[in-house]
């Protein structure tokens, strides 16, 4: 029997080496969604194919239901335990967060004791600085329950315990109540005076890259989902006012560096990206340009995507729409795109800023 050639051994061992040393990633879905939905499944699969690495969607409890009604602290604890148990992640991994899933992902980075290291964090439409609006869901039984809770006092103990978005609702005209009673975002962003945790800052600032992708509507100046849309970059309103929107570098969180965002930025590790589209809609072209490089070998994560995209969009590009609820949906149509909607859910945020 002829012995295999040396070239065969070289190719085989090179393949095994590259696979075994590639960094896997996890996807953390947003509200009203779950890993089994078509949009999230396809997003994860396509991203894995484009990057050539293993990707896993990590479920946050009982999917859609728990994404609405389980407090974000508990959702974070569930994901924390799962990543610690995944053998594939033990050498380190990357996180791709979708909308609300970004806060859970950051909670894993900052709060999760004994977890594998997170190398790159890619955020798509994350409400990092909070949102000054409450969600309007639709007409399903899940949405009826959510809407009834929303009508209550958003910073009450009951609502904080039973409605996940209340954990990051930040009303500029109610900052004292927010700091005192909101149970997730003030802790995550180290906003509470005299209670800032240096460990959270140390863990967050240890990221190799933080990619903040803001999705901007083609037709309207203001995002109809995240209020304001600049929260995707940690931008937000000044305390006490609903205008203007402060860029991230002018917020207290950045200036005083409560979580290490400034340290990361000054080290050239924060990438502020803007892409055209609807909430959680991103074209294949933009996904390959702004997400894939940070999931590949570290040598490919050069600072070549630090430039802000300015509306590039080809004809008949596919759009990977992670979640889309058909009922009560009035989202604007965009030309030359094909949203992936079937089997996925979404939520719509109306401008109820002055509740």
């Amino acid at each position: 029997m002829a012995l295999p050639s040396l070239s065969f051994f070289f190719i085989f061992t090179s393949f095994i080496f590259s696979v075994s040393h590639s960094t896997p990633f996890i996807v953390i879905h947003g509200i009203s969604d779950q890993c089994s939905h078509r949009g999230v499944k396809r997003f994860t699969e396509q991203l894995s194919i484009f990057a050539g690495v293993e990707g896993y969607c990590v479920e946050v409890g009982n999917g859609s239901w728990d994404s609405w009604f389980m407090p974000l602290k508990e959702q974070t604890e569930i994901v924390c335990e799962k990543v610690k148990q995944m053998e594939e992640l033990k050498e380190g991994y990357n996180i791709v967060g979708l909308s609300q899933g970004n806060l859970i992902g950051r909670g894993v980075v900052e709060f999760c004791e004994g977890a594998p290291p997170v190398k790159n964090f890619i955020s798509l439409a994350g409400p990092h600085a909070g949102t000054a609006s409450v969600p309007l869901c639709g007409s399903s039984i899940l949405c009826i329950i959510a809407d009834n809770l929303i009508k209550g006092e958003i910073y009450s103990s009951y609502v904080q315990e039973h409605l996940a978005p209340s954990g990051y609702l930040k009303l500029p005209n109610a900052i004292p109540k927010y700091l005192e009673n909101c149970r997730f975002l003030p802790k995550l962003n180290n906003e509470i005076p005299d209670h800032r945790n240096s460990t959270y800052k140390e863990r967050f600032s240890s990221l190799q890259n933080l990619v903040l992708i803001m999705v901007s509507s083609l037709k309207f100046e203001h995002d109809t989902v995240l209020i304001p849309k600049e929260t995707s970059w940690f931008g937000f309103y000044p305390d006490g006012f609903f205008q203007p929107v402060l860029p991230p570098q002018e917020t207290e969180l950045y200036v005083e560096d409560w979580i290490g965002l400034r340290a990361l930025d000054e080290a050239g590790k924060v990438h502020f990206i803007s892409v055209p589209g609807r909430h959680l809609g991103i074209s294949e072209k933009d996904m390959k340009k702004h997400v894939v490089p940070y999931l590949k070998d570290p040598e490919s994560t050069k600072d070549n995507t630090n430039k802000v995209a300015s509306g590039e969009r080809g004809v008949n590009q596919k759009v990977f729409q992670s979640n889309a609820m058909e009922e009560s949906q009035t989202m604007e149509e965009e030309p030359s795109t094909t949203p992936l909607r079937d089997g996925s859910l979404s939520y719509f945020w109306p401008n109820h800023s002055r509740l």
Side-chain angles (χ1 to χ4, degrees), residues 27-41:
V27 171
I28 306 178
H29 66 73
I31 198 170
S32 278
D33 229 330
Q34 60 189 57
C35 289
S36 61
H37 285 163
R38 178 185 172 188
V40 177
K41 286 181 66 176

Side-chain angles (χ1 to χ4, degrees), residues 24-28 35 44 48 53-59 86 88-89 94 96:
F25 69 89
I26 66 169
V27 171
I28 306 178
C35 289
T44 306
S48 181
V53 298
E54 290 296 326
Y56 309 90
C57 181
V58 177
E59 190 55 81
M86 292 179 67
E88 302 89 342
L89 309 183
N94 300 318
V96 179

Side-chain angles (χ1 to χ4, degrees), residues 238-284:
D239 290 357
F241 302 93
F242 286 92
Q243 59 181 353
V245 177
L246 299 177
Q249 293 81 3
E250 294 182 16
T251 64
E252 287 186 274
L253 179 145
Y254 183 97
V255 173
E256 299 183 8
D257 209 16
W258 295 340
I259 60 170
L261 179 64
R262 179 176 178 177
L264 281 170
D265 192 22
E266 291 178 347
K269 297 180 179 180
V270 182
H271 311 280
F272 298 97
I273 307 297
S274 178
V275 299
R278 291 171 288 182
H279 186 63
L280 288 184
I282 184 168
S283 70
E284 178 179 316

Side-chain angles (χ1 to χ4, degrees), residues 184-294:
F184 191 77
L185 192 63
K187 179 181 178 181
L188 184 70
N189 282 350
N190 254 341
E191 294 180 273
I192 305 174
D194 303 322
H195 289 84
R196 296 193 175 112
N197 191 311
S198 61
T199 300
Y200 302 161
K201 177 179 178 178
E202 180 182 349
R203 290 172 177 168
F204 186 68
S205 59
S206 70
L207 292 171
Q208 294 176 8
N209 286 282
L210 174 64
V211 184
L212 301 173
I213 302 175
M214 176 174 66
V215 182
S216 301
S217 170
L218 292 178
K219 289 188 176 181
F220 302 103
E221 179 183 356
H222 301 292
D223 193 302
T224 54
V225 178
L226 298 181
I227 307 297
K229 66 180 184 296
E230 290 82 1
T231 186
S232 297
W233 286 358
F234 283 90
F236 206 69
Y237 304 109
D239 290 357
F241 302 93
F242 286 92
Q243 59 181 353
V245 177
L246 299 177
Q249 293 81 3
E250 294 182 16
T251 64
E252 287 186 274
L253 179 145
Y254 183 97
V255 173
E256 299 183 8
D257 209 16
W258 295 340
I259 60 170
L261 179 64
R262 179 176 178 177
L264 281 170
D265 192 22
E266 291 178 347
K269 297 180 179 180
V270 182
H271 311 280
F272 298 97
I273 307 297
S274 178
V275 299
R278 291 171 288 182
H279 186 63
L280 288 184
I282 184 168
S283 70
E284 178 179 316
K285 177 182 177 181
D286 285 334
M287 193 155 68
K288 289 179 177 178
K289 180 179 180 181
H290 300 301
V291 179
V292 170
Y294 297 95

